[in-house]
Amino acid sequence: MSPSQSPHRATDLADGAQGASGLSGQPCRADATPLCAPHGLAVAGILDERREPHAGEPDLRALRRCFFRSYLVAAAFNTQGLQNVGLAYAMEPGLRAAHPDPAAFQAAMARHLTVYNSHPMWAPLLVGIFLSLEVKIAKGLAPPAMLEDIKTTTAYTLSAVGDSFFGGSLLGLWGLAAACLAATGHSLGVALLALCMLVGLNAFKAATFLAGYREGFQVLKRLKRWDLINWGRRIKVVNAVILTFLWMLTAPKAVGAMGISDLIIVSGLGVWAMTEPRFPREMAFAALVAAGLCLAAFRVS
C-alpha cells in the first residue's frame, strides 16, 4: 500500500472501531488508554502499515563524500569493467540518499558496475551528472535505461577530450615551464607553479562536480562552448615555443648563435602556423622549431 493511502486506511479503521463501540454501548473517551477501540485500532493500523521510503536528494555530507571519492575512481582498475568499481564506490553515498529502499539501491549500484572508463580529470563531473540523473530516476522523472545511454556517450567523448587537453597539452605545458624555471635556477618558481596548477586543477574538479549535479547532462552544452580541443592545439603550439627556449637554455653555445633576426623569422612563421587552418598546426610548428634548431647548430659548428 502506498503512503498516500495510509491516512484513508487509518480513517477506515477508526470508523469501524466507532461503529463497534456504538454497538457495545461503551463510548470512547478522549483521554482513554490505547486499549480503547478507536484509538487502539487506528494506532495499530498506522504502525502495522508498511511504508516505502521516499526518494530524496543527497545532503551536503553525501555530496562531499561523492566528490572526494571521485579521486579514487581509477584505484580499482580491472580488465573486465575498467573503472566501474571505482565509479560505484564514488556514487554509493549519493545513491543511498536517492534510493532509501534497499532493492532500489541495489539496482542503482548494479547500473554503475557496468563497463566505465574515462579520463580521471572528468571523474567529478561525470559523478555529478550520473548522481543528478539517479535522483530523477528515483523520483520517476527519468527511466533507468536513460542512464546507460548518457553514461556511454559522455564517458568516451570526454575521455578523448581529456587525453588531448589535459594529457597532451596542459601536462606538457606544466612540465616544460617547470623545466625552464629549473634550468634558470628558479627552484621556488617551480614550487609555486606546481602549487598554482594543483590548486587550479582541483578547483576545476570541484566546480565541474557541482555543475554536473545541478545541471545534469545539460552541462555538456557549456563544455562544448569551452572548445577545449582547439585550446589544446593552441597550448601545443606554446609548448613548441617553450621547448625551443628550453633547448637554448640547456645549450649555452647555441644561445649566442641564434640571432635576433632568426628569432623574428621563427616567431613570424609560428604566428602564421597558429592562424593557418589548412595545415596541422602541431606538425607545422614542430618543423619550424626543428629548422631553428638546425640553423643554430649549423652556426655553432
Side-chain angles (χ1 to χ4, degrees), residues 215-286:
E215 303 177 23
F217 58 87
Q218 296 295 329
V219 74
L220 298 177
K221 295 180 180 179
R222 186 186 306 180
L223 289 180
K224 184 178 180 181
R225 292 195 299 267
W226 288 356
D227 197 18
L228 294 181
I229 291 293
N230 286 328
W231 275 109
R233 293 175 178 175
R234 298 184 184 103
I235 292 176
K236 289 177 181 178
V237 172
V238 175
N239 290 345
V241 176
I242 297 178
L243 181 61
T244 303
F245 284 104
L246 178 61
W247 181 86
M248 294 172 63
L249 291 172
T250 55
K253 291 183 179 181
V255 173
M258 180 172 285
I260 297 178
S261 60
D262 296 332
L263 289 176
I264 294 175
I265 294 173
V266 171
S267 300
L269 292 175
V271 172
W272 169 80
M274 292 176 61
T275 57
E276 180 56 50
R278 293 179 299 175
F279 300 96
R281 299 173 185 176
E282 297 83 2
M283 297 300 297
F285 210 86

Side-chain angles (χ1 to χ4, degrees), residues 67-68 71 121 124 166 170-171 173-175 178 189-208:
F67 171 70
F68 285 113
Y71 284 77
M121 280 297 300
F166 294 107
L170 199 59
L171 185 61
L173 176 64
W174 185 352
V190 176
L192 290 176
L193 176 63
L195 179 63
C196 291
M197 294 292 289
L198 287 174
V199 171
L201 290 175
N202 284 279
F204 175 84
K205 286 186 173 184
T208 53

